[in-house]
Structure formats: C-alpha cells, structure tokens
Amino acid sequence: MKILDSILDFLFPQKCLYCGQVGSVVCQNCVSQLPFPKTQICPICYNPSLIGKTHDFCQKRYNLDGLTFCFYYDDKIKEAIKKIKYRNLFSYVDELVARGISKLDLEQFKDFMIIPVPLHEKRLKSRGFNQAEIIGKVLSGKLNIQLRTDILKRVKDTSSQVKLNKKAREENIKDAFTVNSKVKFKNMKALLVDDIFTSGATLNECAKILKKAGVQKVWGFTLAHGK
Ligand SMILES: [Zn+2]
Ligand SMILES: [Zn+2]
C-alpha cells in the first residue's frame, strides 16, 4: 500500500488546492489565510462562548452541550468543501481536519464517541459517500477515539435546507432520525460530526434524539461554521 501511495504521489503529485504549489493539499503559504475562528460560538444563540460550550442560560435539556468548529465558512472553505465532494476525498479532508484541529484543544473529547450525521440511504446511494462520515473517520484516527456509524439512522429523506429559515429548518428536520434500539446509551458521550454548521437544526435534532435515548452529553464538531 505504501509503495502504491508513493507511485501515485509520483505520478499525480499533490497540489495546493488554492495556489497549485506542488507538495501538499494546502501549502504552508495558504494555510495562514485559512479562516481560523477568533472565538468559538454557542450553538444556540450564536454568540461567542469559551471553547464553544452552550451558555448555561441557553442550555435546555435536549440541546447540544457545545460545538467545536475548525473554520468560518468563507469562500476559501466553500471551495475546499466543494472539492471534497468530487475528488481526492481523503487527502483533502485529512489535510483540512489536521490544519483545523491544530488550533483546538480537543482533550475533553477523549471519552466521547464520534457519531457522524447520517445521510438517508437514497441520498447516500446517489452521492456515493457521506462527507460527515469521512470527516468523522479522519477525526477518529487523529484523536484516537471510536467512530460509530451504527447508532443514528436517517429515516426521513428531508428536502434541501438551503432556502429555509431557522424555524422552517427545525420543522423540516423534525423526526428525521432514529436511534438503534440495541445500543446501550447510558453514560455515553457523543461527538456529532457534520461538515457545516448553519442554523444548528440538524445537529440539535440529533442531540435531542440521542439525549432522549439516554446519552449523557452531546457536542457537535463541524469543519465549518456558516453563521
Ligand atoms: Zn497554496
Ligand atoms: Zn448561547
């Protein structure tokens, strides 16, 4: 496998996805221009919050307990995520996640399980892969914590959320997920992984389902934040 990798690297050298410089997916020069967050943000009120923890006054029983994200969703990240969808999946995600988490303290997640936000079967078939799962896999390897894809299932093939406001998104995503009833949830801590945080409707819906099933703590992790 290593030999094959080196042959592939030789034939198709990695290029910086922004400036084209050969050597890595994001070159040293372009890394400094990535939109690293100045602060983390409460996933409920979108105001700054230390390490992304949900403010005490925003916390309800079934909300996310916090959110960690790597980048603001600007044109640079938009471009990168678009490319993730079509080619060089793993090396792109690997590089972006590595760059993103280099500035974060993720020590608090060492006893969590990574649960990627699932796609509906139909969507998965037409797209061929689940971006959230690829990000989750990469993160799982880097943090050395377990990835679980057998816990959450998307049972409703929701229409696109892009044009909807917050309230409509919440309505649209309601009851879209179920949990695997064979799993023991007591004392479990979950790190929900998705590509982009927009209104938080999807992550909060997943958090609600997991907490109702008995999960103790649910945080979100996204590559980008669109608010
Ligand atoms: Zn570059
Ligand atoms: Zn808040």
Side-chain angles (χ1 to χ4, degrees), residues 15-224:
K15 283 186 188 158
C16 173
L17 66 97
Y18 298 116
C19 71
Q21 189 184 299
V22 174
S24 61
V25 176
V26 184
C27 79
Q28 208 51 47
N29 257 341
C30 293
V31 166
S32 58
Q33 290 164 39
L34 289 176
F36 291 102
K38 291 186 187 73
T39 62
Q40 291 288 323
I41 296 169
C42 166
I44 307 301
C45 70
Y46 315 143
N47 286 313
S49 161
L50 197 68
I51 71 164
K53 190 179 175 301
T54 301
H55 297 121
D56 288 345
F57 50 84
C58 291
Q59 186 68 61
K60 288 188 195 134
R61 194 167 166 200
Y62 298 125
N63 277 347
L64 283 173
D65 295 291
L67 170 79
T68 301
F69 69 99
C70 298
F71 304 107
Y72 296 120
Y73 189 50
D74 73 350
D75 287 346
K76 277 204 143 56
I77 295 300
K78 206 178 267 181
E79 196 183 330
I81 287 183
K82 216 176 186 176
K83 286 185 176 166
I84 287 174
K85 289 183 181 167
Y86 300 105
R87 41 183 218 134
N88 299 341
L89 291 167
F90 279 95
S91 54
Y92 274 51
V93 175
D94 194 83
E95 181 85 13
L96 281 172
V97 170
R99 299 296 191 186
I101 65 174
S102 68
K103 308 214 173 189
L104 300 170
D105 181 9
L106 302 176
E107 192 51 27
Q108 61 156 332
F109 298 123
K110 63 180 186 306
D111 58 344
F112 278 59
M113 282 179 185
I114 291 177
I115 303 178
V117 172
L119 286 178
H120 190 270
E121 260 171 28
K122 255 208 257 162
R123 193 74 65 90
L124 185 61
K125 255 195 199 131
S126 70
R127 196 194 279 176
F129 62 91
N130 177 1
Q131 261 163 284
E133 192 174 325
I134 294 173
I135 296 168
K137 248 181 214 157
V138 168
L139 192 66
S140 158
K142 296 201 185 299
L143 302 183
N144 199 20
I145 61 178
Q146 205 188 356
L147 173 90
R148 295 283 300 262
T149 54
D150 62 324
I151 287 181
L152 266 185
K153 194 175 161 130
R154 196 167 194 137
V155 287
K156 205 164 106 183
D157 189 15
T158 50
S159 51
S160 169
Q161 305 250 81
V162 176
K163 292 201 174 90
L164 305 177
N165 64 24
K166 189 178 182 203
K167 200 89 213 122
R169 280 173 191 242
E170 282 168 5
E171 208 41 57
N172 188 44
I173 201 79
K174 199 166 175 275
D175 302 324
F177 302 94
T178 55
V179 291
N180 181 347
S181 57
K182 294 190 191 106
V183 173
K184 289 200 169 49
F185 290 101
K186 205 167 171 273
N187 297 324
M188 186 189 281
K189 295 177 184 174
L191 184 57
L192 280 168
V193 171
D194 210 352
D195 52 358
I196 307 163
F197 181 99
T198 312
S199 72
T202 304
L203 285 177
N204 271 306
E205 180 66 20
C206 291
K208 183 178 89 186
I209 294 283
L210 289 172
K211 284 190 162 179
K212 282 189 171 168
V215 175
Q216 192 190 338
K217 224 174 213 182
V218 183
W219 272 66
F221 174 98
T222 61
L223 197 56

